[in-house]
Amino acid sequence: MKRIVAIGFLVVLALQFVGFYAYFGSRLLAIRQEMRAALAVLPEEKLEKIVISADEFKKLDTEEHEIELADKMYDISRIVKSDDVYILFALHDEHEDSLLSLLDEMIKRSTNDKKPVPSQLGQFFALVFIPTQISFSFYHSESIFSPTEYINSYQSVALSIQAPPPWA
């Protein structure tokens, strides 16, 4: 029962740390799939034409068919090269913009938090738990060692009580 409660507590704690980023990742994938589907059916007239020089185009990362220009995300439908310019047929992705701004806001809030960690939490993590009962299983060792007088008379120094000598 204690193990189930401990595992449940750790799962809830992990969800607190990972939950937002898991939501962010899954939502980002869903937005990208929606935009790919929208780009497949939209006519060329409804797409924005972005003209970029060849030097600027080399600086852009277009591997995922997405670019960021002027703090806006665009999904690229197709790229046409003519002379020294590239014409990008793209669609402004407002949902991805809002999701990325939400992530930026969350990161800013977490870095602006100057409150120290409560001292009780630090003390809790510094606690050393000592088991109240020590039980050893000699199931495997019985087949290896035979009970001799030496093994039966051996007493561990680690298990003796550490106390100062009595005063005279």
Side-chain angles (χ1 to χ4, degrees):
M1 182 64 182
K2 289 181 184 179
R3 183 175 290 180
I4 293 171
V5 171
I7 290 172
F9 176 72
L10 289 176
V11 167
V12 169
L13 189 65
L15 283 175
Q16 289 291 324
F17 290 119
V18 183
F20 176 74
Y21 296 107
Y23 166 76
F24 174 80
S26 63
R27 182 68 184 131
L28 186 62
L29 288 174
I31 289 172
R32 287 184 178 172
Q33 288 176 351
E34 290 171 8
M35 289 305 289
R36 285 188 191 127
L39 284 174
V41 296
L42 275 178
E44 190 174 296
E45 296 83 36
K46 294 199 176 187
L47 298 175
E48 294 182 35
K49 291 181 183 178
I50 303 171
V51 179
I52 297 178
S53 69
D55 293 334
E56 290 178 11
F57 184 77
K58 289 179 184 176
K59 295 177 185 177
L60 294 176
D61 181 23
T62 59
E63 287 183 22
E64 295 182 6
H65 297 286
E66 289 188 338
I67 59 169
E68 182 179 0
L69 291 173
D71 293 330
K72 292 182 179 180
M73 293 299 295
Y74 292 93
D75 287 304
I76 301 171
S77 176
R78 75 187 172 112
I79 302 171
V80 177
K81 183 180 190 241
S82 65
D83 298 330
D84 284 343
V85 295
Y86 284 87
I87 300 172
L88 307 174
F89 292 92
L91 183 62
H92 179 227
D93 193 351
E94 295 173 7
H95 296 292
E96 191 169 354
D97 281 344
S98 63
L99 186 66
L100 291 174
S101 65
L102 174 67
L103 179 66
D104 288 340
E105 183 66 28
M106 294 297 289
I107 291 173
K108 285 178 187 175
R109 283 184 184 180
S110 66
T111 56
N112 289 341
D113 187 17
K114 303 296 182 196
K115 293 180 183 175
V117 176
S119 62
Q120 294 87 355
L121 188 63
Q123 291 171 354
F124 175 74
F125 285 128
L127 287 176
V128 177
F129 294 98
I130 301 173
T132 58
Q133 181 182 5
I134 300 174
S135 62
F136 296 100
S137 173
F138 292 107
Y139 176 72
H140 298 290
S141 63
E142 289 177 359
S143 62
I144 298 172
F145 298 107
S146 60
T148 63
E149 189 63 32
Y150 176 75
I151 292 174
N152 290 337
S153 65
Y154 176 75
Q155 292 182 358
S156 174
V157 176
L159 294 178
S160 65
I161 297 173
Q162 300 292 325
W167 291 91

PDB file of all heavy atoms in Angstrom, residues 88-123:
ATOM      1  N   LEU A  88       8.095  32.873 -51.563  1.00  0.00           N
ATOM      2  CA  LEU A  88       7.529  31.862 -50.678  1.00  0.00           C
ATOM      3  C   LEU A  88       6.018  32.022 -50.646  1.00  0.00           C
ATOM      4  O   LEU A  88       5.516  33.115 -50.367  1.00  0.00           O
ATOM      5  CB  LEU A  88       8.086  32.018 -49.256  1.00  0.00           C
ATOM      6  CG  LEU A  88       9.599  32.047 -49.089  1.00  0.00           C
ATOM      7  CD1 LEU A  88       9.961  32.346 -47.647  1.00  0.00           C
ATOM      8  CD2 LEU A  88      10.206  30.743 -49.524  1.00  0.00           C
ATOM      9  N   PHE A  89       5.315  30.973 -50.948  1.00  0.00           N
ATOM     10  CA  PHE A  89       3.866  30.966 -50.802  1.00  0.00           C
ATOM     11  C   PHE A  89       3.578  30.349 -49.434  1.00  0.00           C
ATOM     12  O   PHE A  89       3.816  29.154 -49.225  1.00  0.00           O
ATOM     13  CB  PHE A  89       3.214  30.158 -51.931  1.00  0.00           C
ATOM     14  CG  PHE A  89       3.359  30.813 -53.272  1.00  0.00           C
ATOM     15  CD1 PHE A  89       4.426  30.516 -54.105  1.00  0.00           C
ATOM     16  CD2 PHE A  89       2.428  31.745 -53.684  1.00  0.00           C
ATOM     17  CE1 PHE A  89       4.552  31.127 -55.332  1.00  0.00           C
ATOM     18  CE2 PHE A  89       2.545  32.365 -54.924  1.00  0.00           C
ATOM     19  CZ  PHE A  89       3.622  32.056 -55.747  1.00  0.00           C
ATOM     20  N   ALA A  90       3.119  31.168 -48.513  1.00  0.00           N
ATOM     21  CA  ALA A  90       2.999  30.737 -47.122  1.00  0.00           C
ATOM     22  C   ALA A  90       1.678  31.192 -46.517  1.00  0.00           C
ATOM     23  O   ALA A  90       0.979  32.049 -47.057  1.00  0.00           O
ATOM     24  CB  ALA A  90       4.161  31.292 -46.310  1.00  0.00           C
ATOM     25  N   LEU A  91       1.386  30.603 -45.382  1.00  0.00           N
ATOM     26  CA  LEU A  91       0.182  30.930 -44.625  1.00  0.00           C
ATOM     27  C   LEU A  91       0.591  31.276 -43.195  1.00  0.00           C
ATOM     28  O   LEU A  91       1.343  30.520 -42.564  1.00  0.00           O
ATOM     29  CB  LEU A  91      -0.781  29.739 -44.631  1.00  0.00           C
ATOM     30  CG  LEU A  91      -2.131  29.915 -43.942  1.00  0.00           C
ATOM     31  CD1 LEU A  91      -2.934  31.012 -44.638  1.00  0.00           C
ATOM     32  CD2 LEU A  91      -2.901  28.613 -43.969  1.00  0.00           C
ATOM     33  N   HIS A  92       0.109  32.424 -42.717  1.00  0.00           N
ATOM     34  CA  HIS A  92       0.432  32.837 -41.352  1.00  0.00           C
ATOM     35  C   HIS A  92      -0.225  31.884 -40.358  1.00  0.00           C
ATOM     36  O   HIS A  92      -1.423  31.647 -40.416  1.00  0.00           O
ATOM     37  CB  HIS A  92      -0.031  34.273 -41.112  1.00  0.00           C
ATOM     38  CG  HIS A  92       0.247  34.752 -39.733  1.00  0.00           C
ATOM     39  ND1 HIS A  92      -0.689  35.399 -38.985  1.00  0.00           N
ATOM     40  CD2 HIS A  92       1.351  34.663 -38.947  1.00  0.00           C
ATOM     41  CE1 HIS A  92      -0.175  35.704 -37.806  1.00  0.00           C
ATOM     42  NE2 HIS A  92       1.054  35.261 -37.759  1.00  0.00           N
ATOM     43  N   ASP A  93       0.569  31.350 -39.440  1.00  0.00           N
ATOM     44  CA  ASP A  93       0.083  30.374 -38.454  1.00  0.00           C
ATOM     45  C   ASP A  93      -0.153  31.087 -37.124  1.00  0.00           C
ATOM     46  O   ASP A  93       0.750  31.182 -36.286  1.00  0.00           O
ATOM     47  CB  ASP A  93       1.103  29.254 -38.309  1.00  0.00           C
ATOM     48  CG  ASP A  93       0.566  28.054 -37.571  1.00  0.00           C
ATOM     49  OD1 ASP A  93      -0.544  28.152 -37.016  1.00  0.00           O
ATOM     50  OD2 ASP A  93       1.246  27.015 -37.553  1.00  0.00           O
ATOM     51  N   GLU A  94      -1.364  31.587 -36.932  1.00  0.00           N
ATOM     52  CA  GLU A  94      -1.686  32.340 -35.723  1.00  0.00           C
ATOM     53  C   GLU A  94      -1.733  31.455 -34.485  1.00  0.00           C
ATOM     54  O   GLU A  94      -1.358  31.893 -33.394  1.00  0.00           O
ATOM     55  CB  GLU A  94      -3.033  33.044 -35.907  1.00  0.00           C
ATOM     56  CG  GLU A  94      -3.022  34.087 -36.988  1.00  0.00           C
ATOM     57  CD  GLU A  94      -4.399  34.654 -37.257  1.00  0.00           C
ATOM     58  OE1 GLU A  94      -5.341  34.323 -36.513  1.00  0.00           O
ATOM     59  OE2 GLU A  94      -4.524  35.439 -38.210  1.00  0.00           O
ATOM     60  N   HIS A  95      -2.178  30.223 -34.640  1.00  0.00           N
ATOM     61  CA  HIS A  95      -2.258  29.316 -33.486  1.00  0.00           C
ATOM     62  C   HIS A  95      -0.865  28.992 -32.940  1.00  0.00           C
ATOM     63  O   HIS A  95      -0.656  28.939 -31.720  1.00  0.00           O
ATOM     64  CB  HIS A  95      -2.985  28.023 -33.863  1.00  0.00           C
ATOM     65  CG  HIS A  95      -4.409  28.224 -34.246  1.00  0.00           C
ATOM     66  ND1 HIS A  95      -5.369  28.620 -33.343  1.00  0.00           N
ATOM     67  CD2 HIS A  95      -5.038  28.118 -35.441  1.00  0.00           C
ATOM     68  CE1 HIS A  95      -6.536  28.731 -33.955  1.00  0.00           C
ATOM     69  NE2 HIS A  95      -6.356  28.434 -35.244  1.00  0.00           N
ATOM     70  N   GLU A  96       0.078  28.777 -33.833  1.00  0.00           N
ATOM     71  CA  GLU A  96       1.438  28.500 -33.380  1.00  0.00           C
ATOM     72  C   GLU A  96       2.061  29.739 -32.746  1.00  0.00           C
ATOM     73  O   GLU A  96       2.807  29.625 -31.774  1.00  0.00           O
ATOM     74  CB  GLU A  96       2.290  28.002 -34.551  1.00  0.00           C
ATOM     75  CG  GLU A  96       3.631  27.439 -34.107  1.00  0.00           C
ATOM     76  CD  GLU A  96       4.346  26.707 -35.220  1.00  0.00           C
ATOM     77  OE1 GLU A  96       3.790  26.528 -36.314  1.00  0.00           O
ATOM     78  OE2 GLU A  96       5.490  26.299 -34.972  1.00  0.00           O
ATOM     79  N   ASP A  97       1.750  30.903 -33.282  1.00  0.00           N
ATOM     80  CA  ASP A  97       2.229  32.150 -32.668  1.00  0.00           C
ATOM     81  C   ASP A  97       1.742  32.276 -31.228  1.00  0.00           C
ATOM     82  O   ASP A  97       2.516  32.610 -30.324  1.00  0.00           O
ATOM     83  CB  ASP A  97       1.749  33.370 -33.460  1.00  0.00           C
ATOM     84  CG  ASP A  97       2.584  33.613 -34.698  1.00  0.00           C
ATOM     85  OD1 ASP A  97       3.685  33.052 -34.795  1.00  0.00           O
ATOM     86  OD2 ASP A  97       2.114  34.377 -35.567  1.00  0.00           O
ATOM     87  N   SER A  98       0.462  32.033 -31.023  1.00  0.00           N
ATOM     88  CA  SER A  98      -0.082  32.169 -29.670  1.00  0.00           C
ATOM     89  C   SER A  98       0.484  31.109 -28.736  1.00  0.00           C
ATOM     90  O   SER A  98       0.732  31.377 -27.562  1.00  0.00           O
ATOM     91  CB  SER A  98      -1.607  32.115 -29.687  1.00  0.00           C
ATOM     92  OG  SER A  98      -2.047  30.861 -30.145  1.00  0.00           O
ATOM     93  N   LEU A  99       0.722  29.900 -29.244  1.00  0.00           N
ATOM     94  CA  LEU A  99       1.302  28.846 -28.404  1.00  0.00           C
ATOM     95  C   LEU A  99       2.739  29.183 -28.024  1.00  0.00           C
ATOM     96  O   LEU A  99       3.136  29.014 -26.869  1.00  0.00           O
ATOM     97  CB  LEU A  99       1.234  27.503 -29.134  1.00  0.00           C
ATOM     98  CG  LEU A  99       1.656  26.284 -28.340  1.00  0.00           C
ATOM     99  CD1 LEU A  99       0.683  26.042 -27.187  1.00  0.00           C
ATOM    100  CD2 LEU A  99       1.728  25.055 -29.217  1.00  0.00           C
ATOM    101  N   LEU A 100       3.505  29.680 -28.971  1.00  0.00           N
ATOM    102  CA  LEU A 100       4.890  30.065 -28.671  1.00  0.00           C
ATOM    103  C   LEU A 100       4.951  31.268 -27.727  1.00  0.00           C
ATOM    104  O   LEU A 100       5.836  31.337 -26.871  1.00  0.00           O
ATOM    105  CB  LEU A 100       5.647  30.357 -29.965  1.00  0.00           C
ATOM    106  CG  LEU A 100       5.928  29.141 -30.847  1.00  0.00           C
ATOM    107  CD1 LEU A 100       6.540  29.567 -32.169  1.00  0.00           C
ATOM    108  CD2 LEU A 100       6.805  28.143 -30.135  1.00  0.00           C
ATOM    109  N   SER A 101       4.012  32.201 -27.863  1.00  0.00           N
ATOM    110  CA  SER A 101       3.991  33.334 -26.930  1.00  0.00           C
ATOM    111  C   SER A 101       3.605  32.877 -25.525  1.00  0.00           C
ATOM    112  O   SER A 101       4.104  33.410 -24.532  1.00  0.00           O
ATOM    113  CB  SER A 101       3.046  34.430 -27.420  1.00  0.00           C
ATOM    114  OG  SER A 101       1.722  33.970 -27.420  1.00  0.00           O
ATOM    115  N   LEU A 102       2.733  31.865 -25.438  1.00  0.00           N
ATOM    116  CA  LEU A 102       2.402  31.296 -24.128  1.00  0.00           C
ATOM    117  C   LEU A 102       3.632  30.662 -23.489  1.00  0.00           C
ATOM    118  O   LEU A 102       3.892  30.853 -22.296  1.00  0.00           O
ATOM    119  CB  LEU A 102       1.286  30.257 -24.272  1.00  0.00           C
ATOM    120  CG  LEU A 102       0.927  29.468 -23.011  1.00  0.00           C
ATOM    121  CD1 LEU A 102       0.303  30.379 -21.959  1.00  0.00           C
ATOM    122  CD2 LEU A 102      -0.002  28.317 -23.347  1.00  0.00           C
ATOM    123  N   LEU A 103       4.408  29.930 -24.276  1.00  0.00           N
ATOM    124  CA  LEU A 103       5.635  29.327 -23.749  1.00  0.00           C
ATOM    125  C   LEU A 103       6.625  30.404 -23.309  1.00  0.00           C
ATOM    126  O   LEU A 103       7.242  30.287 -22.242  1.00  0.00           O
ATOM    127  CB  LEU A 103       6.272  28.414 -24.797  1.00  0.00           C
ATOM    128  CG  LEU A 103       7.579  27.747 -24.385  1.00  0.00           C
ATOM    129  CD1 LEU A 103       7.350  26.774 -23.244  1.00  0.00           C
ATOM    130  CD2 LEU A 103       8.232  27.065 -25.553  1.00  0.00           C
ATOM    131  N   ASP A 104       6.786  31.435 -24.100  1.00  0.00           N
ATOM    132  CA  ASP A 104       7.680  32.532 -23.722  1.00  0.00           C
ATOM    133  C   ASP A 104       7.238  33.188 -22.422  1.00  0.00           C
ATOM    134  O   ASP A 104       8.066  33.499 -21.554  1.00  0.00           O
ATOM    135  CB  ASP A 104       7.745  33.587 -24.824  1.00  0.00           C
ATOM    136  CG  ASP A 104       8.513  33.114 -26.039  1.00  0.00           C
ATOM    137  OD1 ASP A 104       9.302  32.159 -25.906  1.00  0.00           O
ATOM    138  OD2 ASP A 104       8.322  33.702 -27.125  1.00  0.00           O
ATOM    139  N   GLU A 105       5.934  33.392 -22.270  1.00  0.00           N
ATOM    140  CA  GLU A 105       5.409  34.006 -21.048  1.00  0.00           C
ATOM    141  C   GLU A 105       5.667  33.118 -19.826  1.00  0.00           C
ATOM    142  O   GLU A 105       6.041  33.600 -18.755  1.00  0.00           O
ATOM    143  CB  GLU A 105       3.914  34.283 -21.210  1.00  0.00           C
ATOM    144  CG  GLU A 105       3.285  34.978 -20.037  1.00  0.00           C
ATOM    145  CD  GLU A 105       3.805  36.386 -19.825  1.00  0.00           C
ATOM    146  OE1 GLU A 105       4.225  37.030 -20.808  1.00  0.00           O
ATOM    147  OE2 GLU A 105       3.805  36.837 -18.671  1.00  0.00           O
ATOM    148  N   MET A 106       5.474  31.815 -19.984  1.00  0.00           N
ATOM    149  CA  MET A 106       5.717  30.890 -18.869  1.00  0.00           C
ATOM    150  C   MET A 106       7.194  30.884 -18.472  1.00  0.00           C
ATOM    151  O   MET A 106       7.525  30.861 -17.290  1.00  0.00           O
ATOM    152  CB  MET A 106       5.271  29.477 -19.245  1.00  0.00           C
ATOM    153  CG  MET A 106       3.777  29.335 -19.449  1.00  0.00           C
ATOM    154  SD  MET A 106       2.827  29.681 -17.971  1.00  0.00           S
ATOM    155  CE  MET A 106       3.227  28.276 -16.986  1.00  0.00           C
ATOM    156  N   ILE A 107       8.080  30.931 -19.446  1.00  0.00           N
ATOM    157  CA  ILE A 107       9.512  30.944 -19.146  1.00  0.00           C
ATOM    158  C   ILE A 107       9.905  32.254 -18.472  1.00  0.00           C
ATOM    159  O   ILE A 107      10.679  32.263 -17.509  1.00  0.00           O
ATOM    160  CB  ILE A 107      10.325  30.700 -20.430  1.00  0.00           C
ATOM    161  CG1 ILE A 107      10.126  29.254 -20.890  1.00  0.00           C
ATOM    162  CG2 ILE A 107      11.803  30.984 -20.213  1.00  0.00           C
ATOM    163  CD1 ILE A 107      10.728  28.940 -22.230  1.00  0.00           C
ATOM    164  N   LYS A 108       9.353  33.376 -18.942  1.00  0.00           N
ATOM    165  CA  LYS A 108       9.649  34.666 -18.312  1.00  0.00           C
ATOM    166  C   LYS A 108       9.166  34.698 -16.869  1.00  0.00           C
ATOM    167  O   LYS A 108       9.853  35.205 -15.987  1.00  0.00           O
ATOM    168  CB  LYS A 108       9.007  35.807 -19.103  1.00  0.00           C
ATOM    169  CG  LYS A 108       9.703  36.135 -20.386  1.00  0.00           C
ATOM    170  CD  LYS A 108       8.981  37.241 -21.124  1.00  0.00           C
ATOM    171  CE  LYS A 108       9.585  37.463 -22.494  1.00  0.00           C
ATOM    172  NZ  LYS A 108       8.824  38.453 -23.278  1.00  0.00           N
ATOM    173  N   ARG A 109       7.983  34.170 -16.630  1.00  0.00           N
ATOM    174  CA  ARG A 109       7.456  34.170 -15.262  1.00  0.00           C
ATOM    175  C   ARG A 109       8.305  33.302 -14.340  1.00  0.00           C
ATOM    176  O   ARG A 109       8.524  33.651 -13.190  1.00  0.00           O
ATOM    177  CB  ARG A 109       6.017  33.662 -15.250  1.00  0.00           C
ATOM    178  CG  ARG A 109       5.028  34.670 -15.730  1.00  0.00           C
ATOM    179  CD  ARG A 109       3.626  34.154 -15.598  1.00  0.00           C
ATOM    180  NE  ARG A 109       2.660  35.097 -16.141  1.00  0.00           N
ATOM    181  CZ  ARG A 109       1.378  34.902 -16.158  1.00  0.00           C
ATOM    182  NH1 ARG A 109       0.863  33.791 -15.659  1.00  0.00           N
ATOM    183  NH2 ARG A 109       0.581  35.812 -16.667  1.00  0.00           N
ATOM    184  N   SER A 110       8.770  32.175 -14.854  1.00  0.00           N
ATOM    185  CA  SER A 110       9.565  31.292 -13.990  1.00  0.00           C
ATOM    186  C   SER A 110      10.940  31.877 -13.706  1.00  0.00           C
ATOM    187  O   SER A 110      11.495  31.681 -12.632  1.00  0.00           O
ATOM    188  CB  SER A 110       9.700  29.908 -14.618  1.00  0.00           C
ATOM    189  OG  SER A 110      10.452  29.974 -15.799  1.00  0.00           O
ATOM    190  N   THR A 111      11.511  32.621 -14.659  1.00  0.00           N
ATOM    191  CA  THR A 111      12.822  33.222 -14.411  1.00  0.00           C
ATOM    192  C   THR A 111      12.716  34.491 -13.574  1.00  0.00           C
ATOM    193  O   THR A 111      13.680  34.873 -12.926  1.00  0.00           O
ATOM    194  CB  THR A 111      13.541  33.543 -15.735  1.00  0.00           C
ATOM    195  OG1 THR A 111      12.712  34.385 -16.534  1.00  0.00           O
ATOM    196  CG2 THR A 111      13.883  32.282 -16.494  1.00  0.00           C
ATOM    197  N   ASN A 112      11.562  35.151 -13.578  1.00  0.00           N
ATOM    198  CA  ASN A 112      11.377  36.366 -12.776  1.00  0.00           C
ATOM    199  C   ASN A 112      11.033  36.060 -11.325  1.00  0.00           C
ATOM    200  O   ASN A 112      11.015  36.967 -10.508  1.00  0.00           O
ATOM    201  CB  ASN A 112      10.289  37.251 -13.381  1.00  0.00           C
ATOM    202  CG  ASN A 112      10.729  37.902 -14.666  1.00  0.00           C
ATOM    203  OD1 ASN A 112      11.919  37.987 -14.942  1.00  0.00           O
ATOM    204  ND2 ASN A 112       9.773  38.331 -15.465  1.00  0.00           N
ATOM    205  N   ASP A 113      10.766  34.829 -10.998  1.00  0.00           N
ATOM    206  CA  ASP A 113      10.409  34.449  -9.630  1.00  0.00           C
ATOM    207  C   ASP A 113      11.662  34.477  -8.762  1.00  0.00           C
ATOM    208  O   ASP A 113      12.558  33.666  -8.924  1.00  0.00           O
ATOM    209  CB  ASP A 113       9.775  33.057  -9.613  1.00  0.00           C
ATOM    210  CG  ASP A 113       9.234  32.689  -8.248  1.00  0.00           C
ATOM    211  OD1 ASP A 113       9.047  33.597  -7.419  1.00  0.00           O
ATOM    212  OD2 ASP A 113       9.001  31.486  -8.017  1.00  0.00           O
ATOM    213  N   LYS A 114      11.728  35.427  -7.864  1.00  0.00           N
ATOM    214  CA  LYS A 114      12.909  35.612  -7.007  1.00  0.00           C
ATOM    215  C   LYS A 114      12.694  35.097  -5.582  1.00  0.00           C
ATOM    216  O   LYS A 114      13.540  35.286  -4.729  1.00  0.00           O
ATOM    217  CB  LYS A 114      13.306  37.091  -6.953  1.00  0.00           C
ATOM    218  CG  LYS A 114      13.589  37.694  -8.297  1.00  0.00           C
ATOM    219  CD  LYS A 114      14.778  37.053  -8.963  1.00  0.00           C
ATOM    220  CE  LYS A 114      15.039  37.729 -10.299  1.00  0.00           C
ATOM    221  NZ  LYS A 114      15.885  36.993 -11.170  1.00  0.00           N
ATOM    222  N   LYS A 115      11.557  34.463  -5.340  1.00  0.00           N
ATOM    223  CA  LYS A 115      11.289  33.967  -3.997  1.00  0.00           C
ATOM    224  C   LYS A 115      12.180  32.764  -3.709  1.00  0.00           C
ATOM    225  O   LYS A 115      12.318  31.870  -4.541  1.00  0.00           O
ATOM    226  CB  LYS A 115       9.821  33.561  -3.859  1.00  0.00           C
ATOM    227  CG  LYS A 115       8.851  34.706  -3.948  1.00  0.00           C
ATOM    228  CD  LYS A 115       7.434  34.223  -3.811  1.00  0.00           C
ATOM    229  CE  LYS A 115       6.466  35.376  -3.968  1.00  0.00           C
ATOM    230  NZ  LYS A 115       5.078  34.906  -3.963  1.00  0.00           N
ATOM    231  N   PRO A 116      12.783  32.730  -2.524  1.00  0.00           N
ATOM    232  CA  PRO A 116      13.632  31.578  -2.204  1.00  0.00           C
ATOM    233  C   PRO A 116      12.782  30.341  -1.899  1.00  0.00           C
ATOM    234  O   PRO A 116      11.598  30.427  -1.588  1.00  0.00           O
ATOM    235  CB  PRO A 116      14.387  32.032  -0.954  1.00  0.00           C
ATOM    236  CG  PRO A 116      13.475  33.036  -0.326  1.00  0.00           C
ATOM    237  CD  PRO A 116      12.763  33.717  -1.465  1.00  0.00           C
ATOM    238  N   VAL A 117      13.442  29.204  -2.007  1.00  0.00           N
ATOM    239  CA  VAL A 117      12.779  27.943  -1.678  1.00  0.00           C
ATOM    240  C   VAL A 117      12.527  27.930  -0.172  1.00  0.00           C
ATOM    241  O   VAL A 117      13.405  28.305   0.615  1.00  0.00           O
ATOM    242  CB  VAL A 117      13.682  26.757  -2.083  1.00  0.00           C
ATOM    243  CG1 VAL A 117      13.075  25.431  -1.673  1.00  0.00           C
ATOM    244  CG2 VAL A 117      13.951  26.780  -3.566  1.00  0.00           C
ATOM    245  N   PRO A 118      11.340  27.526   0.284  1.00  0.00           N
ATOM    246  CA  PRO A 118      11.070  27.507   1.720  1.00  0.00           C
ATOM    247  C   PRO A 118      12.070  26.621   2.465  1.00  0.00           C
ATOM    248  O   PRO A 118      12.461  25.561   1.977  1.00  0.00           O
ATOM    249  CB  PRO A 118       9.666  26.915   1.817  1.00  0.00           C
ATOM    250  CG  PRO A 118       9.055  27.130   0.485  1.00  0.00           C
ATOM    251  CD  PRO A 118      10.176  27.115  -0.495  1.00  0.00           C
ATOM    252  N   SER A 119      12.484  27.087   3.637  1.00  0.00           N
ATOM    253  CA  SER A 119      13.487  26.347   4.401  1.00  0.00           C
ATOM    254  C   SER A 119      12.966  24.990   4.850  1.00  0.00           C
ATOM    255  O   SER A 119      13.737  24.046   4.987  1.00  0.00           O
ATOM    256  CB  SER A 119      13.931  27.171   5.611  1.00  0.00           C
ATOM    257  OG  SER A 119      12.822  27.392   6.472  1.00  0.00           O
ATOM    258  N   GLN A 120      11.655  24.871   5.068  1.00  0.00           N
ATOM    259  CA  GLN A 120      11.096  23.581   5.467  1.00  0.00           C
ATOM    260  C   GLN A 120      11.279  22.545   4.370  1.00  0.00           C
ATOM    261  O   GLN A 120      11.523  21.376   4.662  1.00  0.00           O
ATOM    262  CB  GLN A 120       9.597  23.700   5.797  1.00  0.00           C
ATOM    263  CG  GLN A 120       9.295  24.548   6.998  1.00  0.00           C
ATOM    264  CD  GLN A 120       9.154  26.025   6.654  1.00  0.00           C
ATOM    265  OE1 GLN A 120       9.365  26.439   5.525  1.00  0.00           O
ATOM    266  NE2 GLN A 120       8.823  26.823   7.650  1.00  0.00           N
ATOM    267  N   LEU A 121      11.192  22.963   3.122  1.00  0.00           N
ATOM    268  CA  LEU A 121      11.383  22.028   2.017  1.00  0.00           C
ATOM    269  C   LEU A 121      12.825  21.559   1.962  1.00  0.00           C
ATOM    270  O   LEU A 121      13.093  20.376   1.754  1.00  0.00           O
ATOM    271  CB  LEU A 121      10.980  22.693   0.690  1.00  0.00           C
ATOM    272  CG  LEU A 121      10.947  21.801  -0.527  1.00  0.00           C
ATOM    273  CD1 LEU A 121       9.885  20.718  -0.351  1.00  0.00           C
ATOM    274  CD2 LEU A 121      10.663  22.612  -1.765  1.00  0.00           C
ATOM    275  N   GLY A 122      13.743  22.459   2.168  1.00  0.00           N
ATOM    276  CA  GLY A 122      15.154  22.075   2.206  1.00  0.00           C
ATOM    277  C   GLY A 122      15.449  21.122   3.350  1.00  0.00           C
ATOM    278  O   GLY A 122      16.214  20.173   3.203  1.00  0.00           O
ATOM    279  N   GLN A 123      14.853  21.376   4.512  1.00  0.00           N
ATOM    280  CA  GLN A 123      15.039  20.489   5.652  1.00  0.00           C
ATOM    281  C   GLN A 123      14.436  19.119   5.395  1.00  0.00           C
ATOM    282  O   GLN A 123      14.997  18.102   5.784  1.00  0.00           O
ATOM    283  CB  GLN A 123      14.410  21.100   6.903  1.00  0.00           C
ATOM    284  CG  GLN A 123      15.134  22.331   7.400  1.00  0.00           C
ATOM    285  CD  GLN A 123      14.364  23.029   8.509  1.00  0.00           C
ATOM    286  OE1 GLN A 123      13.240  22.662   8.834  1.00  0.00           O
ATOM    287  NE2 GLN A 123      14.972  24.064   9.081  1.00  0.00           N
TER     288      GLN A 123
END
